[in-house]
Every structure is written in structure tokens, then in C-alpha cells.
Amino acid sequence: MVKLHNLYFKPFISESEIQETVARMTKEIADDIGDEIPVFVGILNGSFMFVSDFVKKFPKPCEVTFIKLASYEGLKSSDDIKRLIGITQDLTGRTVVILEDIIDSGKTLGEVHRIFENEKVKELRIATLFYKPEAYKKDYKIHYVGIEIPNKFIVGYGLDFDGLGRDLPEVYQLKTTQHMINIVLFGPPGAGKGTQAAFLKEKYDLVHISTGDVFRNNINNETALGMLAKSFMDKGELVPDQVTIDMLSNEVEKNADAKGFIFDGFPRTDAQAKALDDLLESKDSEISAMIALEVDDEVLVKRLLERGKTSGRTDDADENIIRNRIQEYYKKTAPLKNYYSAQKKYFGVDGIGNIEAITQRLSNVINKL
Ligand code: AMP
């Protein structure tokens, strides 16, 4: 992901795909042109990278020149095409191939045709690396197309967003969801995830989703989901993955405008972690960090028994159930540390101490994201 000015862009077309496309285009054009020496005309600024790679790969002698037009302002193609540098050499009788980085509405192409109206070239061909068929509104023939793309704003490989991004060797697409902070609060039962989440959601304006709380609400409301979940929760076992994943997706969808989420008690298995990645990816987002509250088992048991005196939670009242929950954690959930460590997203925080001190330790991690 890259940030340009205030917006985020995600990878879209790789450097290798671009280079393969440029190579294919040079071959196609060289075959068509035969033995003539063509003049390639790049449209500045955007086409400078394309033209450079193109002529390096072009297998025969050629000439290169540029004209400079300006059409984009910010994210919108403006109606007003400015001609900044026109043709600077005599092209009479020559085969000219325009090299465009991208053709979308076709306004720039219209200006190119106006420029060449009075030139007595032998032939004018149009080649573009990227083409947006959904946006194209003109009738001019486009002879060579590299890659057809949907009508989304892209940057990189010569293309800019308000001056930035031209230098990137690959192409990025504007993210539909802008930057979210998504935190997985991790740790065994009793580590203090719920307590800390309550502070962090206020501090960072995030939506807190506790799968345990959602299950408990369902139990209180005697829903079918609640009845199903209860049979597992009462024994201190995990509710089956698919049930939990569907419920979590629902909760995320309910908060489409969230600036980010604190996931508390989810994911608890590998399958849940993968499902969460997929869900966030479908929103052009991702987990920012897994932050683990590290607390000794014996402290956990004591805390949960203490909480059980007032929480009304049956799974907090019985030491055997508590120990089973902790077992489930080590067996199925603790391995997720590796999952997030592999993505360099795992942060451990000492979960023993007073509540404010622990909130501060968590904030120190979040502030650096
Ligand atoms: P918690 O409130 O997070 O301690 O969760 C209480 C109980 O709800 C757990 O012991 C599980 O039975 C169930 N539960 C909560 N979250 C999940 C999850 N992500 N996957 C499976 N079961 C869960």
C-alpha cells in the first residue's frame, strides 16, 4: 500500500506484468511497421516511463520525441486540455506512433488528433499502455492496447496523483475504503481484553466487537444462534468456526462507516484469522496489528473466579471450566501468534499492572502504527 498526499492506494499491476506488456506491444508494433523507421511520440508527462521502456525494447531503429499536454487535476480528468509543448520537428511523410500511458475519456487523444490535423504524416497510429473501455467516449481508433483496466483511478509508472506517484515502477489503484486501524486484541481469557477495548475504542474512535459479548446477547435474547453457542460456551469450548465467522462478518457489515475495529475474542483459530483477512481485504483494508496482553495462567484463574462473583457468567464460576477455556486458548488460539508474527503484526504487551498503565502500553503500540 502507498500513501500519496492524504489518500491510500493498493497494488494493482505489478512491474513484471507491465514489462511483459510493453515487450508484447513493441513486438506487435515492430511487426506491423516493417522496415520503416517510425517516430514514436510520447505524451508528457505521464508517458515518460512507458516510452523509455518501450524504445529500449523496440527491436529496430526508431526516433523518439514528445509533446506535452496537461489534463488531470487531482483525481478528475479535466475538460480543459492545455497544450504545453507541441510538435518540434518536421514529421512530413513519416509513420508516427503516439505512445500514451493511459487513455480514459479520450479528451487528450482528441487534442492529439487536432495537433496532427495539419501535419502531413504518412500515417498516425495510437498505442496506449492502459485503456479504460468504460470511460472512453470518443470514436478515434486505438491501434494498440496494452492492458484494459476498469474505470478506477490509478497511479504509478508515470501516472500521478497531484504530482506524486510517477516514480513508482508498478501501478496502484485508489482504495475504496480509506485507512482503517484494525486491532486484534489478543490474550487468554481474563487477560483484560474487554476492559482495555472499552478504553481504546473511545480513544481511537473505533468500533469494538467482542464475539463473546455478541454470543451472550444472543443467549439473553434466546435466539437460535444463542442457543447453539450456549451449548459450547457452557463447557468452555469454542463455538464452531463457521457460525462464529458468519456472525463476525455480520457485525462488521453493520458498521460499514467505521474508522476501524477492535476485535476482542476473535480470531481464535487459524480458520477465523484467514476469514478475517479475506473479509477486510474485500473492504480494501487489513489488520493493522495483533496486540497481545500477556498474563500468567494462575493470575488469570484468580481474576476470572473473582469476576465470576459478580459477572453472572456461568463460565467464570467454575474453576474447571475456566481451566478448560485457558486450555482451548493454548491449543487453538495461541498459535495465531505465529500467523501475525509472520506478517510482522504481532506485539506483546505486559498485561499485569493497573488498568491505566496497561492502556498506555497498548496506546504506545497503536500510536506507532
Ligand atoms: P469471551 O467472552 O471472549 O471469553 O468468550 C466466551 C465464550 O464465547 C468462549 O469461551 C467461546 O465459547 C465463545 N467464543 C467467543 N469468541 C469466540 C470465537 N472467536 N470462536 C469461538 N468461540 C468463541
Side-chain angles (χ1 to χ4, degrees):
M1 199 164 64
V2 293
K3 185 180 185 205
L4 303 172
H5 299 294
N6 56 338
L7 294 181
Y8 290 83
F9 295 81
K10 61 178 177 175
F12 182 43
I13 302 171
S14 69
E15 190 174 357
S16 60
E17 191 184 344
I18 294 172
Q19 293 302 330
E20 280 161 28
T21 305
V22 175
R24 173 176 58 72
M25 292 178 80
T26 56
K27 190 170 175 326
E28 208 181 328
I29 294 173
D31 287 350
D32 278 2
I33 284 177
D35 289 333
E36 255 180 84
I37 295 182
V39 184
F40 292 116
V41 179
I43 311 296
L44 291 174
N45 289 330
S47 74
F48 74 97
M49 266 207 204
F50 174 42
V51 174
S52 166
D53 285 339
F54 183 96
V55 295
K56 278 183 271 179
K57 292 185 203 300
F58 196 72
K60 298 175 187 172
C62 62
E63 289 180 30
V64 191
T65 186
F66 291 91
I67 54 184
K68 182 168 163 106
L69 305 175
S71 69
Y72 260 93
E73 275 162 24
L75 297 175
K76 287 230 158 53
S77 174
S78 89
D79 280 337
D80 180 24
I81 308 282
K82 296 184 196 93
R83 193 184 304 181
L84 304 171
I85 302 174
I87 295 168
T88 50
Q89 71 191 83
D90 183 12
L91 294 174
T92 307
R94 305 296 303 270
T95 294
V96 171
V97 181
I98 300 293
L99 295 181
E100 260 283 37
D101 43 317
I102 186 163
I103 293 180
D104 48 20
S105 68
K107 280 177 213 133
T108 310
L109 198 52
E111 182 64 14
V112 168
H113 278 276
R114 274 189 291 283
I115 290 174
F116 277 87
E117 244 164 31
N118 302 321
E119 301 292 321
K120 299 193 173 48
V121 298
K122 179 175 168 198
E123 197 182 0
L124 180 68
R125 288 172 182 253
I126 309 294
T128 185
L129 179 57
F130 302 117
Y131 171 54
K132 292 182 178 174
E134 293 156 41
Y136 191 58
K137 296 199 185 67
K138 305 279 188 204
D139 296 324
Y140 307 111
K141 182 171 167 59
I142 303 172
H143 301 78
Y144 308 100
V145 170
I147 303 174
E148 286 194 6
I149 59 169
N151 193 9
K152 299 250 172 74
F153 189 80
I154 60 171
V155 294
Y157 199 70
L159 295 151
D160 75 313
F161 164 48
D162 271 351
L164 293 181
R166 293 194 198 279
D167 52 323
L168 301 167
E170 58 278 297
V171 165
Y172 292 77
Q173 190 179 73
L174 182 67
K175 272 159 58 77
T176 43
T177 308
Q178 283 301 303
H179 195 51
M180 293 169 104
I181 296 181
N182 296 309
I183 308 285
V184 173
L185 255 192
F186 193 63
K193 302 186 294 288
T195 307
Q196 292 299 332
F199 290 109
L200 297 175
K201 76 168 190 185
E202 294 299 332
K203 187 162 178 184
Y204 296 97
D205 196 12
L206 303 174
V207 172
H208 171 209
I209 301 180
S210 153
T211 39
D213 284 351
V214 182
F215 281 135
R216 280 183 288 276
N217 283 339
N218 275 276
I219 293 172
N220 289 340
N221 295 327
E222 298 180 356
T223 67
L225 174 64
M227 293 306 102
L228 174 68
K230 187 169 167 31
S231 59
F232 295 93
M233 290 168 77
D234 280 349
K235 289 181 274 178
E237 290 171 8
L238 294 188
V239 177
D241 276 339
Q242 204 49 55
V243 176
T244 312
I245 290 167
D246 290 347
M247 181 190 81
L248 187 277
S249 307
N250 245 325
E251 293 298 311
V252 169
E253 295 306 339
K254 276 190 212 161
N255 293 283
D257 299 331
K259 289 186 183 159
F261 293 92
I262 300 175
F263 298 103
D264 157 11
F266 189 96
R268 262 175 152 106
T269 63
D270 242 20
Q272 293 182 13
K274 291 194 180 82
L276 183 58
D277 277 353
D278 291 346
L279 177 66
L280 292 177
E281 197 186 331
S282 75
K283 306 187 152 307
D284 266 357
S285 193
E286 61 186 353
I287 288 296
S288 320
M290 165 184 263
I291 315 182
L293 288 166
E294 293 162 348
V295 180
D296 281 350
D297 290 359
E298 292 315 308
V299 177
L300 296 173
V301 175
K302 248 194 243 149
R303 278 190 190 173
L304 290 173
L305 283 170
E306 199 52 41
R307 183 171 82 182
K309 291 179 188 163
T310 52
S311 70
R313 280 179 61 167
T314 46
D315 61 348
D316 282 348
D318 179 312
E319 186 167 336
N320 287 330
I321 297 176
I322 291 175
R323 291 206 181 269
N324 195 35
R325 286 161 62 199
I326 296 174
Q327 281 299 312
E328 283 277 88
Y329 172 78
Y330 283 114
K331 209 162 56 193
K332 297 177 182 162
T333 309
L336 287 182
K337 176 178 177 178
N338 299 335
Y339 184 86
Y340 289 97
S341 295
Q343 301 178 33
K344 299 197 168 46
K345 289 178 178 172
Y346 180 88
F347 301 87
V349 159
D350 182 2
I352 298 184
N354 71 43
I355 291 174
E356 297 83 43
I358 299 171
T359 310
Q360 193 51 51
R361 288 174 209 153
L362 293 166
S363 302
N364 292 344
V365 175
I366 298 173
N367 293 340
K368 284 194 203 122
L369 292 175

